[in-house]
């Protein structure tokens, strides 16, 4: 193998590694979420699911960053994405393992709200289940893709009630690309 080929492969590998390492900032630069509606928050009532969360968290005291991380990780562990119809109620995901973006956002929301309450943080933070549309730069991609599945997209907002700071999380995106938070236009 010649020096030119080795150099070329090195550059390609370096470029791909850079894209992988910077996927979050690149995604947030290219894609913006526009909020169009909200859904009712989900609250956990299924004791089997609550026990799974307790085991997942080891009954530790958590701060907001850990709650977001655990909500994302638990949701990703519990669900697999489907384009088909799936439950929208988080309590149904004990046995049903498939969900679309609505189910991902609902389970993330329910786990987050449960952990906020368990850690006495409901006076400081709130999780909200949102419906939005994705824009590539300023182009609404939902208008380009003519399929009922791409009508809208569900995600969550985590609001600091004291500072009014908001973090946006797309749990289905986290599951497949590992991107922890997204950007939104309000």
């Amino acid at each position: 193998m010649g020096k030119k080929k080795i150099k070329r492969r090195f550059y390609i590998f370096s470029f791909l590694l850079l894209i992988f390492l910077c996927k979050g900032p690149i995604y947030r630069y290219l894609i913006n979420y526009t909020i169009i509606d909200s859904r009712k928050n989900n609250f956990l009532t299924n004791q089997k699911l609550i026990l799974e969360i307790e085991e997942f968290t080891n009954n530790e005291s958590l701060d907001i960053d850990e709650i977001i991380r655990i909500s994302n990780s638990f949701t990703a562990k519990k669900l697999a994405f489907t384009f088909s119809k799936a439950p929208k109620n988080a309590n149904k995901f004990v046995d049903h393992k498939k969900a679309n973006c609505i189910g991902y956002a609902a389970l993330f929301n329910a786990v987050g709200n449960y952990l906020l309450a368990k850690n006495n943080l409901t006076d400081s933070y709130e999780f909200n289940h949102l419906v939005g549309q994705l824009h590539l730069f300023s182009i609404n991609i939902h208008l380009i893709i003519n399929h009922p599945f791409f009508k809208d997209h569900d995600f969550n907002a985590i609001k600091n009630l004291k500072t009014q700071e908001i973090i946006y999380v797309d749990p289905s995106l986290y599951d497949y690309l590992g991107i922890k938070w997204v950007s939104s236009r309000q």
Side-chain angles (χ1 to χ4, degrees):
M1 193 180 297
K3 281 186 177 182
K4 233 179 184 180
K5 275 191 173 184
I6 292 173
K7 210 177 209 184
R8 185 173 171 201
R9 286 185 179 178
F10 173 77
Y11 287 134
I12 290 171
F13 174 76
S14 298
F15 178 73
L16 293 174
L17 180 64
L18 183 65
I19 287 176
F20 175 77
L21 293 174
C22 297
K23 65 186 172 210
I26 292 169
Y27 183 84
R28 287 186 290 276
Y29 177 76
L30 296 174
I31 306 290
N32 247 306
Y33 290 55
T34 300
I35 301 166
I36 59 171
D37 202 356
S38 63
R39 297 190 197 276
K40 286 172 84 173
N41 282 345
N42 273 258
F43 295 97
L44 294 178
T45 56
N46 188 306
Q47 290 303 311
K48 189 175 173 186
L49 194 56
I50 290 171
L51 284 173
E52 285 183 45
I53 293 167
E54 294 297 329
E55 287 177 19
F56 199 78
T57 63
N58 296 323
N59 267 339
E60 295 176 14
S61 181
L62 306 170
D63 66 20
I64 190 63
D65 292 329
E66 292 168 319
I67 289 171
I68 294 168
R69 182 185 56 75
I70 288 169
S71 298
N72 255 334
S73 297
F74 184 83
T75 301
K77 177 184 170 248
K78 193 80 180 143
L79 300 177
F81 195 84
T82 182
F83 286 100
S84 305
K85 279 194 168 201
K88 296 177 185 177
N89 183 328
N91 293 291
K92 306 263 187 208
F93 291 119
V94 171
D95 300 316
H96 195 78
K97 307 287 185 203
K98 300 222 180 241
N100 52 33
C101 67
I102 300 170
Y104 269 84
L107 184 59
F108 174 87
N109 182 272
V111 172
N113 281 314
Y114 172 77
L115 292 174
L116 284 179
K118 185 176 186 291
N119 289 277
N120 299 315
L121 292 172
T122 54
D123 290 340
S124 302
Y125 299 94
E126 67 182 11
F127 277 56
N128 293 299
H129 186 156
L130 302 174
V131 180
Q133 294 185 329
L134 284 73
H135 290 77
L136 175 62
F137 296 111
S138 61
I139 301 165
N140 183 341
I141 62 172
H142 299 273
L143 298 176
I144 297 169
I145 303 169
N146 190 17
H147 189 278
F149 181 80
F150 292 101
K151 176 179 82 171
D152 52 37
H153 187 75
D154 286 44
F155 62 108
N156 272 264
I158 298 92
K159 185 175 185 178
N160 182 323
L161 299 173
K162 294 176 180 167
T163 66
Q164 304 304 306
E165 178 187 7
I166 301 173
I167 298 169
Y168 298 97
V169 176
D170 181 344
S172 56
L173 180 71
Y174 173 80
D175 188 17
Y176 284 91
L177 295 179
I179 295 173
K180 296 176 184 172
W181 56 278
V182 296
S183 56
S184 176
R185 290 186 242 167
Q186 294 193 24

